[in-house]
Amino acid sequence: MIIDCHGHYTTAPKALEEFRKRQIDGLKDPSSSPAKDSLRISDDQLRESLEGAQLKLQRNRGTDLTIFSPRAGGMGHHIGNAATSELWSGICNELIHRICALYPENFIGVCQLPQSPGVRPDNCIAELERCVKEYGFIGCNLNPDPSGGYWTDPPLIDKWWYPLYEKMVELDVPAMVHVSASCNPNFHFTGAHYINADTTAFMQFLTSDLFKDFPTLKFIIPHGGGAVPYHWGRYRGIAQDMGRPPLKELLLNNVFFDTCVYHRPGIELLLKVIPADNILFASEMVGAVRGIDPETGHHYDDTKRYIDAIEWISAEDREKIFHGNVRKVYSRFAAR
Amino acid sequence: MIIDCHGHYTTAPKALEEFRKRQIDGLKDPSSSPAKDSLRISDDQLRESLEGAQLKLQRNRGTDLTIFSPRAGGMGHHIGNAATSELWSGICNELIHRICALYPENFIGVCQLPQSPGVRPDNCIAELERCVKEYGFIGCNLNPDPSGGYWTDPPLIDKWWYPLYEKMVELDVPAMVHVSASCNPNFHFTGAHYINADTTAFMQFLTSDLFKDFPTLKFIIPHGGGAVPYHWGRYRGIAQDMGRPPLKELLLNNVFFDTCVYHRPGIELLLKVIPADNILFASEMVGAVRGIDPETGHHYDDTKRYIDAIEWISAEDREKIFHGNVRKVYSRFAAR
């Protein structure tokens, strides 16, 4: 069984985008704010949005199940206020729930959180609990920078985040560290902001004793861990210079990397330097890169091909990467 | 001849740090601001600060010459205002000039610029010109985020920077894109801010036609290009999805990467995916990582060893990486 731990609903019907546009317009002119139930998307529309995209790619590529969450770039936590995010998260999560109900063999849900810059993450607890208990979701996406590229909230190791972590531990769900769109013109969202956030989060964890406080808290750092595996020597060296324990001991019971790296040399590096126990298969399809690589004739984001082509991975490690580690990291996946 | 294109004066005598402290204290209490000539560092003190550090490491590692600039983390462009940065840059650049005069076989200078957040980079032109014409420096370090981690200035592709680029082109000097310390608690400086800035700058260049406007403008992206080579497939794919030309055509006449990657698998990836024409040897010693890797018994930042150990690089490519490309990118190096 091959599980893709990182898929977003990037192909939603236009009605969703239109609703969001009206919601944003309503921030200036409250009289034009849409009612929640004004959004109507039928089951057939959901099916149609997936059949020619994620489901087709699952079949073509030979993957079985995708851990599925709302579009990351669409979370837009920097837009409006906590109430804006609450309504929007509720809507996006409900769509994921409906998709998981329509295709229980193909998708399992992870939720967006109603974060808002400067607002304590305590306000995310209710939505997380609802999604896990009512919808059967198995994790959440946690945005380390709800400001959308200005990084004005405290780092992930700050006690600011602890109430949410307590709930994650209680519910036994991990978080994927995932920013949303960037409203800072310095940062292209999928080309810089995403990758920077991954690198930043890892380095925050490296400097802290967060995992002493929460020994069972788990994070997935997507996009192959940002820059981290490429600079693994740098991170080992910085930790050593700082008198921190070796990274394996310090972090690797709690921090995991996905395989969203879109060329074979990158995947090879990842598998070479990061223990197989800490790597989860993922492609982020349909996502940041949709084209076909002229050098290979295949989609850049068909990451399974790169892994399949590497002969030196043992069968045991391959099994961990493709699904064993998911059962470990997403405890509720195993339990369902 | 082996040229290290990335070294900072990280081992300056204490007097420099003390002067800077007094300068910063003087921002609150102008009466305590130090006069420029109150800083006294003798030639012997300069020699002493280098003999047991950069010079010893050059000898031990078999490198010949370092392209040398003030400590990057010390630039602190976010501190004070344009006048603060002007005084401080002048002092730091003068020390580099004195070092290059003391050891002309070992060091050649690159300057810090008197940047300040929100201040047009036009104010850096005089110092750049002075350092190139009076001191014989061959490049500059350009900070893409003078705010120190809040990224409030325009991206490097904005016309905001064009007057400085015009001067760089006129003087025929490249810039290394290099941030300074981070005052944002989200970003550890050497572990996150540096690497993020490298990735960010590359992605900015990718989206723009900057190099149509300045066909001879050249940037070195340090720290192995941040996350870029590891995600080379992602960047090729994003460029393709955006309808941009292939990266080679779009960027690789103007953008170069150094080899500050502190483990062999990272260096191997870099050399595998980036053309040898675009790679410049560097170690950043004495810099971000000072320890000895217990896995190899050698310094993490002894990057020459990693390159030496890779058998599949041709003699011609090795020559380009170790010094040929420096002559191409730093035109004034060849001319001196």
Side-chain angles (χ1 to χ4, degrees):
Chain A
M1 184 178 201
I2 295 181
I3 303 167
D4 184 334
C5 81
H6 187 180
H8 301 294
Y9 189 29
T10 50
T11 57
K14 274 245 147 129
L16 184 67
E17 194 185 321
E18 286 159 7
F19 178 91
R20 178 63 164 169
K21 188 179 175 311
R22 290 201 307 279
Q23 191 198 22
I24 294 169
D25 292 344
L27 293 170
K28 284 184 188 155
D29 172 16
S31 73
S32 72
S33 286
K36 187 177 177 186
D37 61 7
S38 70
L39 175 66
R40 299 258 165 73
I41 296 176
S42 68
D43 285 356
D44 277 349
Q45 285 176 306
L46 290 179
R47 287 192 193 96
E48 199 188 335
S49 72
L50 296 159
E51 283 292 349
Q54 291 85 352
L55 288 168
K56 188 179 101 183
L57 293 173
Q58 281 186 353
R59 284 190 299 268
N60 289 353
R61 298 181 184 182
T63 63
D64 298 295
L65 184 143
T66 301
I67 299 180
F68 207 52
S69 60
R71 188 165 70 89
M75 297 190 296
H77 294 123
H78 57 284
I79 298 169
N81 52 36
T84 319
S85 274
E86 192 185 330
L87 175 64
W88 178 236
S89 297
I91 284 171
C92 293
N93 290 332
E94 193 184 319
L95 286 176
I96 298 298
H97 173 51
R98 286 175 58 198
I99 287 167
C100 296
L102 287 171
Y103 298 99
E105 303 297 318
N106 299 90
F107 298 107
I108 187 161
V110 151
C111 67
Q112 167 179 336
L113 295 172
Q115 296 178 249
S116 195
V119 176
R120 292 197 156 270
D122 309 52
N123 81 325
C124 299
I125 290 174
E127 181 66 3
L128 175 63
E129 191 149 33
R130 193 178 75 83
C131 288
V132 172
K133 292 194 173 164
E134 290 180 26
Y135 292 167
F137 284 10
I138 60 171
C140 59
N141 290 331
L142 182 63
N143 185 344
D145 172 32
S147 78
Y150 290 96
W151 293 89
T152 48
D153 274 10
L156 291 178
I157 54 177
D158 192 279
K159 295 223 156 41
W160 173 264
W161 302 92
Y162 274 29
L164 180 61
Y165 296 160
E166 283 161 15
K167 183 55 71 175
M168 284 169 57
V169 166
E170 181 197 314
L171 294 170
D172 204 8
V173 293
M176 179 172 279
V177 177
H178 207 309
V179 285
S180 184
S182 159
C183 59
N184 185 328
N186 280 285
F187 302 127
H188 183 276
F189 80 122
T190 55
H193 193 41
Y194 282 20
I195 305 294
N196 291 350
D198 304 335
T199 309
T200 300
F202 181 84
M203 190 62 209
Q204 291 176 0
F205 296 147
L206 189 156
T207 59
S208 90
D209 287 325
L210 177 63
F211 302 121
K212 280 193 181 154
D213 289 347
F214 295 101
T216 63
L217 187 65
K218 291 189 178 69
F219 292 103
I220 301 96
I221 304 191
H223 320 109
V228 172
Y230 176 48
H231 286 288
W232 196 240
R234 186 178 188 89
Y235 291 102
R236 287 200 294 114
I238 289 177
Q240 184 176 318
D241 284 358
M242 293 172 82
R244 308 286 299 157
L247 295 184
K248 202 172 156 65
E249 187 183 314
L250 177 63
L251 293 169
L252 293 185
N253 289 319
N254 306 85
V255 174
F256 302 84
F257 302 99
D258 81 9
T259 66
C260 293
V261 178
Y262 297 153
H263 62 152
R264 180 166 162 178
I267 290 282
E268 276 188 299
L269 174 104
L270 172 67
L271 300 185
K272 215 178 278 175
V273 302
I274 305 297
D277 285 325
N278 292 79
I279 300 173
L280 277 67
F281 171 69
S283 69
E284 207 177 356
M285 63 89 171
V286 180
V289 177
R290 304 188 180 195
I292 289 174
D293 185 348
E295 292 182 10
T296 66
H298 298 285
H299 285 92
Y300 287 99
D301 68 359
D302 188 355
T303 53
K304 180 169 169 291
R305 279 186 170 273
Y306 308 130
I307 301 170
D308 286 346
I310 299 174
E311 290 153 6
W312 48 261
I313 319 171
S314 71
E316 191 193 349
D317 284 352
R318 209 175 284 274
E319 188 279 339
K320 286 179 183 173
I321 292 166
F322 279 129
H323 85 268
N325 291 338
V326 163
R327 293 175 186 276
K328 184 177 68 179
V329 176
Y330 295 84
S331 319
R332 284 181 173 260
F333 179 86
R336 78 171 185 156
Chain B
M1 185 178 201
I2 295 181
I3 303 167
D4 184 335
C5 81
H6 187 180
H8 301 293
Y9 189 28
T10 50
T11 56
K14 275 246 147 125
L16 184 66
E17 193 185 324
E18 286 159 9
F19 179 91
R20 177 63 164 169
K21 189 180 174 310
R22 289 201 308 280
Q23 191 198 22
I24 294 170
D25 292 345
L27 293 169
K28 284 185 188 152
D29 172 15
S31 72
S32 72
S33 287
K36 188 178 175 184
D37 61 7
S38 69
L39 175 65
R40 299 258 166 74
I41 296 176
S42 68
D43 285 355
D44 277 349
Q45 285 175 305
L46 291 179
R47 287 192 193 95
E48 198 188 336
S49 71
L50 296 159
E51 283 291 350
Q54 290 86 351
L55 289 167
K56 186 178 103 184
L57 292 173
Q58 282 185 354
R59 286 190 297 269
N60 289 352
R61 298 180 184 182
T63 64
D64 298 295
L65 184 142
T66 301
I67 299 180
F68 207 52
S69 61
R71 187 166 70 90
M75 297 189 297
H77 294 123
H78 58 284
I79 298 169
N81 52 37
T84 319
S85 275
E86 194 185 329
L87 174 64
W88 178 236
S89 298
I91 285 172
C92 293
N93 290 332
E94 194 184 321
L95 286 177
I96 299 298
H97 173 51
R98 288 175 57 199
I99 287 168
C100 296
L102 287 171
Y103 299 99
E105 304 296 319
N106 299 92
F107 298 107
I108 188 162
V110 151
C111 68
Q112 166 178 337
L113 296 172
Q115 297 178 248
S116 195
V119 176
R120 290 197 158 270
D122 309 51
N123 80 325
C124 299
I125 291 174
E127 180 66 3
L128 175 63
E129 192 148 32
R130 193 179 74 84
C131 288
V132 172
K133 293 192 173 163
E134 290 180 27
Y135 292 166
F137 284 10
I138 60 170
C140 58
N141 290 332
L142 182 63
N143 184 344
D145 172 32
S147 78
Y150 291 97
W151 293 89
T152 48
D153 274 9
L156 291 178
I157 54 178
D158 193 279
K159 295 224 158 37
W160 172 265
W161 302 92
Y162 275 29
L164 180 61
Y165 296 161
E166 283 161 14
K167 184 53 71 176
M168 284 169 57
V169 167
E170 183 197 315
L171 294 171
D172 204 8
V173 293
M176 179 173 278
V177 177
H178 207 308
V179 287
S180 184
S182 159
C183 59
N184 185 327
N186 279 286
F187 301 127
H188 183 276
F189 80 122
T190 55
H193 193 41
Y194 282 19
I195 304 293
N196 292 351
D198 305 334
T199 309
T200 299
F202 181 85
M203 189 62 208
Q204 291 176 0
F205 297 145
L206 189 156
T207 59
S208 91
D209 287 326
L210 176 63
F211 302 119
K212 280 195 181 153
D213 290 346
F214 296 101
T216 63
L217 187 65
K218 291 189 178 69
F219 292 104
I220 302 97
I221 304 192
H223 320 109
V228 171
Y230 176 48
H231 286 287
W232 196 238
R234 186 178 189 88
Y235 291 102
R236 288 200 296 114
I238 289 177
Q240 184 175 318
D241 284 358
M242 291 171 86
R244 308 285 298 157
L247 296 184
K248 200 170 158 66
E249 187 183 315
L250 176 63
L251 292 169
L252 293 186
N253 288 318
N254 307 86
V255 175
F256 302 84
F257 301 99
D258 81 8
T259 66
C260 293
V261 178
Y262 296 153
H263 63 152
R264 178 166 165 179
I267 290 282
E268 276 189 299
L269 174 104
L270 172 67
L271 299 185
K272 214 178 277 176
V273 302
I274 305 297
D277 284 325
N278 293 79
I279 300 173
L280 276 67
F281 172 69
S283 69
E284 208 178 354
M285 62 89 170
V286 181
V289 176
R290 303 187 180 197
I292 288 173
D293 185 347
E295 291 181 10
T296 65
H298 300 286
H299 286 93
Y300 286 100
D301 68 0
D302 188 355
T303 54
K304 180 168 169 291
R305 278 186 172 274
Y306 308 130
I307 301 170
D308 286 345
I310 298 173
E311 291 153 7
W312 48 262
I313 318 172
S314 70
E316 191 192 349
D317 285 351
R318 209 176 285 275
E319 188 280 338
K320 287 179 183 172
I321 293 166
F322 280 128
H323 87 266
N325 292 337
V326 163
R327 293 177 185 274
K328 184 177 68 181
V329 176
Y330 296 84
S331 320
R332 283 180 174 262
F333 178 84
R336 76 169 185 156

